[in-house]
Short mmCIF file of all heavy atoms in Angstrom, two decimals:
data_model
loop_
_atom_site.label_atom_id
_atom_site.label_comp_id
_atom_site.label_asym_id
_atom_site.label_seq_id
_atom_site.Cartn_x
_atom_site.Cartn_y
_atom_site.Cartn_z
N PRO C 14 74.61 141.48 76.18
CA PRO C 14 74.84 140.23 76.92
C PRO C 14 73.83 139.16 76.59
O PRO C 14 74.09 137.99 76.81
CB PRO C 14 74.76 140.66 78.38
CG PRO C 14 74.33 142.07 78.40
CD PRO C 14 74.42 142.62 77.03
N GLU C 15 72.68 139.57 76.04
CA GLU C 15 71.66 138.57 75.74
C GLU C 15 72.00 137.74 74.51
O GLU C 15 71.42 136.70 74.28
CB GLU C 15 70.29 139.24 75.53
CG GLU C 15 69.67 139.79 76.80
CD GLU C 15 70.28 141.13 77.19
OE1 GLU C 15 70.74 141.86 76.27
OE2 GLU C 15 70.36 141.45 78.38
N THR C 16 72.95 138.24 73.71
CA THR C 16 73.29 137.51 72.49
C THR C 16 73.69 136.08 72.84
O THR C 16 74.61 135.87 73.62
CB THR C 16 74.47 138.18 71.78
OG1 THR C 16 74.18 139.56 71.67
CG2 THR C 16 74.70 137.59 70.42
N PRO C 17 72.98 135.11 72.31
CA PRO C 17 73.38 133.74 72.64
C PRO C 17 74.74 133.42 72.04
O PRO C 17 75.06 133.90 70.96
CB PRO C 17 72.29 132.88 71.99
CG PRO C 17 71.69 133.74 70.93
CD PRO C 17 71.89 135.17 71.36
N PRO C 18 75.57 132.64 72.77
CA PRO C 18 76.91 132.37 72.28
C PRO C 18 76.92 131.62 70.97
O PRO C 18 77.78 131.82 70.14
CB PRO C 18 77.53 131.54 73.41
CG PRO C 18 76.39 131.04 74.24
CD PRO C 18 75.28 132.02 74.05
N ARG C 19 76.00 130.72 70.77
CA ARG C 19 75.94 130.03 69.48
C ARG C 19 74.50 129.67 69.20
O ARG C 19 73.65 129.69 70.09
CB ARG C 19 76.85 128.82 69.48
CG ARG C 19 76.67 127.95 70.70
CD ARG C 19 77.88 127.10 70.92
NE ARG C 19 77.93 126.06 69.88
CZ ARG C 19 78.85 125.11 69.90
NH1 ARG C 19 79.79 125.08 70.81
NH2 ARG C 19 78.86 124.18 68.98
N ALA C 20 74.24 129.33 67.95
CA ALA C 20 72.87 129.14 67.51
C ALA C 20 72.15 128.09 68.36
O ALA C 20 71.10 128.36 68.93
CB ALA C 20 72.85 128.74 66.04
N ALA C 21 72.68 126.89 68.44
CA ALA C 21 71.99 125.84 69.17
C ALA C 21 72.98 124.99 69.92
O ALA C 21 73.53 124.05 69.38
CB ALA C 21 71.18 124.96 68.20
N PRO C 22 73.25 125.34 71.19
CA PRO C 22 74.21 124.54 71.95
C PRO C 22 73.70 123.13 72.16
O PRO C 22 72.52 122.93 72.45
CB PRO C 22 74.32 125.29 73.30
CG PRO C 22 73.46 126.49 73.20
CD PRO C 22 72.63 126.40 71.97
N ALA C 23 74.61 122.15 71.99
CA ALA C 23 74.20 120.76 72.13
C ALA C 23 74.27 120.36 73.59
O ALA C 23 75.18 119.67 74.01
CB ALA C 23 75.09 119.86 71.27
N GLY C 24 73.31 120.78 74.37
CA GLY C 24 73.29 120.44 75.78
C GLY C 24 74.00 121.49 76.60
O GLY C 24 74.56 122.44 76.06
N PRO C 25 73.99 121.34 77.93
CA PRO C 25 74.62 122.34 78.79
C PRO C 25 76.13 122.36 78.60
O PRO C 25 76.75 121.31 78.41
CB PRO C 25 74.25 121.87 80.20
CG PRO C 25 73.95 120.41 80.06
CD PRO C 25 73.44 120.21 78.67
N ALA C 26 76.69 123.56 78.64
CA ALA C 26 78.11 123.69 78.38
C ALA C 26 78.92 123.16 79.55
O ALA C 26 78.53 123.28 80.70
CB ALA C 26 78.45 125.15 78.15
N ILE C 27 80.07 122.54 79.24
CA ILE C 27 81.00 122.14 80.29
C ILE C 27 81.75 123.39 80.75
O ILE C 27 81.85 123.68 81.93
CB ILE C 27 82.00 121.10 79.76
CG1 ILE C 27 81.24 119.89 79.20
CG2 ILE C 27 82.97 120.67 80.86
CD1 ILE C 27 82.10 119.01 78.34
N LEU C 28 82.26 124.10 79.76
CA LEU C 28 83.03 125.29 80.07
C LEU C 28 82.56 126.38 79.11
O LEU C 28 82.41 126.12 77.91
CB LEU C 28 84.52 125.00 79.86
CG LEU C 28 85.53 125.90 80.58
CD1 LEU C 28 85.35 125.79 82.08
CD2 LEU C 28 86.94 125.50 80.20
N GLU C 29 82.30 127.57 79.61
CA GLU C 29 81.94 128.65 78.70
C GLU C 29 82.53 129.96 79.19
O GLU C 29 82.88 130.08 80.36
CB GLU C 29 80.43 128.75 78.54
CG GLU C 29 79.69 129.01 79.83
CD GLU C 29 78.19 128.91 79.64
OE1 GLU C 29 77.67 129.59 78.73
OE2 GLU C 29 77.54 128.17 80.40
N THR C 30 82.65 130.89 78.28
CA THR C 30 83.15 132.19 78.68
C THR C 30 82.06 133.21 78.40
O THR C 30 81.31 133.09 77.44
CB THR C 30 84.42 132.59 77.90
OG1 THR C 30 84.05 132.81 76.53
CG2 THR C 30 85.48 131.51 77.96
N ARG C 31 81.98 134.21 79.28
CA ARG C 31 81.00 135.29 79.07
C ARG C 31 81.76 136.58 78.93
O ARG C 31 82.33 137.06 79.92
CB ARG C 31 80.06 135.37 80.28
CG ARG C 31 79.34 134.07 80.56
CD ARG C 31 77.85 134.24 80.52
NE ARG C 31 77.21 132.94 80.58
CZ ARG C 31 76.57 132.47 81.64
NH1 ARG C 31 76.47 133.22 82.71
NH2 ARG C 31 76.00 131.30 81.61
N ARG C 32 81.80 137.11 77.73
CA ARG C 32 82.45 138.40 77.45
C ARG C 32 83.80 138.51 78.15
O ARG C 32 84.11 139.49 78.81
CB ARG C 32 81.52 139.55 77.85
CG ARG C 32 80.18 139.43 77.16
CD ARG C 32 79.20 140.44 77.66
NE ARG C 32 79.62 141.80 77.30
CZ ARG C 32 78.99 142.87 77.72
NH1 ARG C 32 77.95 142.78 78.52
NH2 ARG C 32 79.41 144.06 77.35
N LEU C 33 84.56 137.45 77.99
CA LEU C 33 85.82 137.30 78.70
C LEU C 33 86.86 138.30 78.19
O LEU C 33 87.02 138.50 76.99
CB LEU C 33 86.33 135.88 78.48
CG LEU C 33 87.56 135.44 79.26
CD1 LEU C 33 87.28 135.44 80.75
CD2 LEU C 33 88.00 134.07 78.80
N GLY C 34 87.55 138.94 79.10
CA GLY C 34 88.60 139.88 78.71
C GLY C 34 89.78 139.80 79.64
O GLY C 34 89.66 139.43 80.81
N ARG C 35 90.95 140.06 79.11
CA ARG C 35 92.14 140.10 79.95
C ARG C 35 93.03 141.22 79.42
O ARG C 35 93.41 141.23 78.25
CB ARG C 35 92.89 138.77 79.86
CG ARG C 35 94.20 138.75 80.65
CD ARG C 35 93.92 138.71 82.16
NE ARG C 35 95.11 138.44 82.94
CZ ARG C 35 95.86 139.37 83.54
NH1 ARG C 35 95.56 140.65 83.38
NH2 ARG C 35 96.90 139.03 84.28
N ALA C 36 93.31 142.17 80.30
CA ALA C 36 94.22 143.26 79.93
C ALA C 36 95.43 143.18 80.83
O ALA C 36 95.32 142.85 82.00
CB ALA C 36 93.51 144.60 80.10
N PHE C 37 96.60 143.42 80.26
CA PHE C 37 97.83 143.41 81.04
C PHE C 37 98.33 144.83 81.19
O PHE C 37 98.31 145.60 80.23
CB PHE C 37 98.90 142.57 80.34
CG PHE C 37 98.56 141.12 80.27
CD1 PHE C 37 97.98 140.57 79.12
CD2 PHE C 37 98.81 140.28 81.34
CE1 PHE C 37 97.66 139.23 79.06
CE2 PHE C 37 98.51 138.93 81.28
CZ PHE C 37 97.93 138.41 80.14
N LYS C 38 98.78 145.14 82.41
CA LYS C 38 99.40 146.44 82.61
C LYS C 38 100.81 146.38 82.07
O LYS C 38 101.60 145.52 82.46
CB LYS C 38 99.45 146.79 84.10
CG LYS C 38 98.23 147.58 84.54
CD LYS C 38 98.39 147.99 86.00
CE LYS C 38 97.01 148.12 86.62
NZ LYS C 38 96.98 147.75 88.02
N VAL C 39 101.14 147.25 81.14
CA VAL C 39 102.51 147.29 80.61
C VAL C 39 102.96 148.74 80.64
O VAL C 39 102.15 149.64 80.84
CB VAL C 39 102.57 146.76 79.16
CG1 VAL C 39 102.36 145.28 79.14
CG2 VAL C 39 101.58 147.47 78.28
N ARG C 40 104.23 148.93 80.41
CA ARG C 40 104.72 150.30 80.30
C ARG C 40 103.99 150.96 79.15
O ARG C 40 103.94 150.41 78.06
CB ARG C 40 106.22 150.31 80.02
CG ARG C 40 107.04 150.61 81.25
CD ARG C 40 108.49 150.75 80.88
NE ARG C 40 108.89 149.70 79.96
CZ ARG C 40 110.04 149.69 79.29
NH1 ARG C 40 110.87 150.67 79.42
NH2 ARG C 40 110.36 148.70 78.49
N GLY C 41 103.41 152.10 79.38
CA GLY C 41 102.72 152.79 78.31
C GLY C 41 101.25 152.45 78.22
O GLY C 41 100.62 152.74 77.22
N GLY C 42 100.71 151.76 79.23
CA GLY C 42 99.28 151.61 79.25
C GLY C 42 98.80 150.19 79.45
O GLY C 42 99.47 149.37 80.08
#
Side-chain angles (χ1 to χ4, degrees):
Chain C
E15 289 79 28
T16 310
R19 48 201 289 185
I27 303 164
L28 202 61
E29 59 188 307
T30 68
R31 303 238 171 107
R32 304 173 67 186
L33 187 64
R35 177 72 169 97
F37 294 97
K38 268 185 209 146
V39 289
R40 258 186 316 168

